[in-house]
Amino acid sequence: MVKNLQDTTTLSNGVKMPWFGLGVFKVEEGSEVVESVKSALRNGYRSIDTAAIYQNEEGVGQAIRESGIAREELFVTSKVWNADLGYESTIAAYETSLQKLGLEYLDLYLIHWPVEGKYKEAWRALETLYKEGRVKAIGVSNFHVHHLEDVMKDAEIKPMVNQVEYHPRLAQKEVRAFCQEQGIQLEAWSPLMQGQLLDNEVLQTIAQKHNKSVAQVILRWDLQNGVVTIPKSTKEHRIIENSQVFDFELTAEDMEAIDSLNQDRRVGPDPDNFDF
């Protein structure tokens, strides 16, 4: 059972990844991202998830340097954007991300979306970076089962992580089962459905019972389902509150009630018909 903010899951290659981190999607470059990352690190977070397309890697890097926390204690993730998918262009994109972050390596590098005809070459580039020891772990984001199967058909190295939209309205049962079976760690983006679940009555009832917020109940549900979670917030009190999910446990009935909210409803694009 996950006991605290620094607890980790062990990826298929033995690398330890925190169960809980801070996502910085839509957090503005400059003081906003610097301050939110610094408050997360100050309050015990050790995992930060960014991406080239978020255009805030420089601020994330600045916050890491200013935090004074040793690099090896941190787990930093970034992602290669669709326009850069290809063998050489993915390697170049990795260099650019490192440069912006001011880091010598990433803990996890992901292909952001499965752009047809492009993601296999990008995966080959990630394998090269991994084999050269330039990144600790590699994975994908927004991949359905058929994308994973397609990559794995030719891959030398299996993806270690699949980061997908995941929340009580989108339980991703098929993807989750496949990833469990294959030893691929599932990770949730938009775990709070961008705030759309906070007034849900089922979740409010469970939250009252445990004397917790709806957000805390959802994040606890992620963890009890074996899913790494990276809620985003720019407010320090919310960053702290989100992480206070280690002092209670949802019952089997709670978990079933939350599971029953699934409607396969997305707030983001469907990877199968996203206009890349």
Side-chain angles (χ1 to χ4, degrees):
M1 188 47 68
V2 187
K3 293 278 194 289
N4 64 57
L5 198 43
Q6 283 89 39
D7 271 2
T8 55
T9 175
T10 303
L11 302 180
S12 58
N13 65 340
V15 163
K16 293 189 182 318
M17 175 182 190
W19 280 104
F20 205 96
L22 180 78
V24 295
F25 174 56
K26 287 190 174 165
V27 181
E28 268 185 53
E29 178 61 290
S31 62
E32 186 174 69
V33 75
V34 172
E35 288 314 311
S36 48
V37 171
K38 276 165 76 172
S39 17
L41 296 176
R42 190 164 54 238
N43 288 291
Y45 285 67
R46 290 297 175 264
S47 172
I48 308 293
D49 177 277
T50 184
I53 197 68
Y54 300 171
Q55 298 187 323
N56 56 18
E57 289 172 313
E58 286 174 357
V60 169
Q62 183 186 330
I64 288 170
R65 285 189 299 281
E66 290 178 7
S67 74
I69 294 166
R71 171 67 184 96
E72 58 275 13
E73 285 181 37
L74 300 175
F75 191 95
V76 184
T77 302
S78 194
K79 312 174 194 81
V80 54
W81 185 241
N82 307 337
D84 293 320
L85 295 183
Y87 185 78
E88 298 296 344
S89 50
T90 295
I91 287 176
Y94 182 76
E95 300 285 357
T96 303
S97 284
L98 278 191
Q99 202 177 345
K100 286 186 173 175
L101 286 155
L103 299 175
E104 287 177 13
Y105 67 92
L106 283 178
D107 297 278
L108 178 62
Y109 197 45
L110 306 176
I111 292 175
H112 208 145
W113 289 91
V115 183
E116 217 169 317
K118 284 182 159 189
Y119 60 77
K120 284 191 163 186
E121 279 300 285
W123 186 252
R124 245 181 10 99
L126 264 60
E127 289 180 325
T128 297
L129 290 165
Y130 178 73
K131 285 188 278 196
E132 288 174 354
R134 306 204 47 223
V135 61
K136 304 276 185 190
I138 51 175
V140 294
S141 182
N142 302 302
F143 274 46
H144 285 322
V145 170
H146 69 91
H147 298 123
L148 290 166
E149 287 173 335
D150 189 37
V151 157
M152 283 157 54
K153 213 163 54 191
D154 305 308
E156 286 180 57
I157 300 162
K158 192 188 283 190
M160 292 145 201
V161 172
N162 184 17
Q163 185 186 116
V164 297
E165 181 181 343
Y166 178 87
H167 46 70
R169 289 271 189 241
L170 183 68
Q172 297 269 26
K173 287 178 183 162
E174 191 196 358
V175 174
R176 201 174 132 230
F178 182 83
C179 286
Q180 270 175 335
E181 188 187 294
Q182 294 294 330
I184 299 168
Q185 177 61 53
L186 199 67
E187 180 177 18
W189 66 257
S190 201
L192 304 177
M193 202 181 176
Q194 296 176 3
Q196 290 181 33
L197 291 164
L198 301 182
D199 55 2
N200 179 278
E201 284 177 17
V202 172
L203 294 169
Q204 283 178 339
T205 304
I206 295 170
Q208 281 159 5
K209 181 174 89 172
H210 292 282
N211 199 21
K212 287 288 179 181
S213 69
V214 168
Q216 288 166 328
V217 163
I218 294 170
L219 297 169
R220 182 73 208 180
W221 174 78
D222 288 357
L223 297 175
Q224 286 184 216
N225 275 327
V227 177
V228 166
T229 192
I230 46 167
K232 164 225 162 180
S233 183
T234 55
K235 298 180 176 68
E236 184 158 27
H237 72 276
R238 193 75 70 213
I239 286 170
I240 295 168
E241 183 189 287
N242 284 345
S243 70
Q244 292 172 334
V245 293
F246 303 101
D247 56 353
F248 78 109
E249 200 167 331
L250 297 168
T251 65
E253 293 74 36
D254 295 336
M255 294 293 284
E256 276 170 36
I258 300 170
D259 289 346
S260 74
L261 298 173
N262 182 46
Q263 298 173 335
D264 292 328
R265 208 168 99 218
R266 297 175 180 274
V267 286
D270 183 331
D272 276 337
N273 51 36
F274 183 21
D275 179 11
F276 298 106

